[in-house]
Amino acid sequence: MRYLVHMVVRLPHDMDPGVASDLKAREKERALDLQRAGLWRHLWRVAGQYANYSVFDVESHDQLHELLTSLPLFPFMDVDIIPLAVHPSALEAQPPD
């Protein structure tokens, strides 16, 4: 199952810079691990914002929830999720030649 996920990070302005740096480093490692595992298929930064659009390819809604809540920055995120389906005009929906 594929999902388009929009994540906006809102760290508290009074957060200790060392804590913020640690969270960001752990977030990066978790994101890289999930990308290497093929679960986090695409990751794009939104220019000028602490936000991203991502595509996840997971087995269930529950797996997506577990994955997102495992992110170190999750407590500081606003998350919007759109389930995706293959479009009939997409190359992947066409029969092989």
Side-chain angles (χ1 to χ4, degrees), residues 2 84-94:
R2 292 185 193 150
L84 300 173
V86 175
H87 193 284
S89 296
L91 283 175
E92 69 182 281
Q94 306 311 305

Side-chain angles (χ1 to χ4, degrees), residues 53-92:
Y53 279 96
S54 296
V55 175
F56 290 88
D57 191 356
V58 295
E59 298 205 8
S60 67
H61 305 315
D62 291 331
Q63 185 182 23
L64 179 65
H65 178 77
E66 290 172 13
L67 182 151
L68 292 173
T69 59
S70 75
L71 297 172
L73 289 173
F74 179 77
F76 307 101
M77 288 182 186
D78 294 329
V79 179
D80 291 312
I81 299 168
I82 299 172
L84 300 173
V86 175
H87 193 284
S89 296
L91 283 175
E92 69 182 281

